[in-house]
Amino acid sequence: MDEHATLAAPADDDPTLVFLKVEEAARRLRIGRTTCFALIRTGELESVMVGGLRRVPVDAPAAYAARLRTAQRAA
């Protein structure tokens, strides 16, 4: 296989997703899993329980980033 060949898109880039795993949300925010769980615990990053699984709504990482940007502009 050619080293420049296009690989399949990661599952967290699927436009039909409604929820992300915490690890996928962390990857989108470019933060660690532990930091992502800390943001969830403090309520800064929205999450829900689906059965016994913690999930992050697909729009929550972007909303968190937007709040950070707004707060930094106001400071």
Side-chain angles (χ1 to χ4, degrees):
M1 178 178 191
D2 181 55
E3 67 181 84
H4 299 290
T6 303
L7 299 175
D12 62 339
D13 287 342
D14 181 349
T16 64
L17 290 177
V18 177
F19 294 115
L20 302 170
K21 294 178 182 177
V22 173
E23 292 81 3
E24 293 167 339
R27 195 167 32 250
R28 286 190 178 197
L29 290 168
R30 303 295 194 259
I31 61 175
R33 179 180 175 274
T34 302
T35 301
C36 195
F37 272 110
L39 292 172
I40 289 168
R41 190 173 33 259
T42 62
E44 294 178 75
L45 181 62
E46 181 186 0
S47 72
V48 296
M49 292 298 290
V50 179
L53 305 170
R54 175 70 53 192
R55 294 293 183 249
V56 176
V58 73
D59 61 336
Y64 170 71
R67 284 192 306 276
L68 282 179
R69 293 176 71 186
T70 300
Q72 288 185 8
R73 283 189 201 132

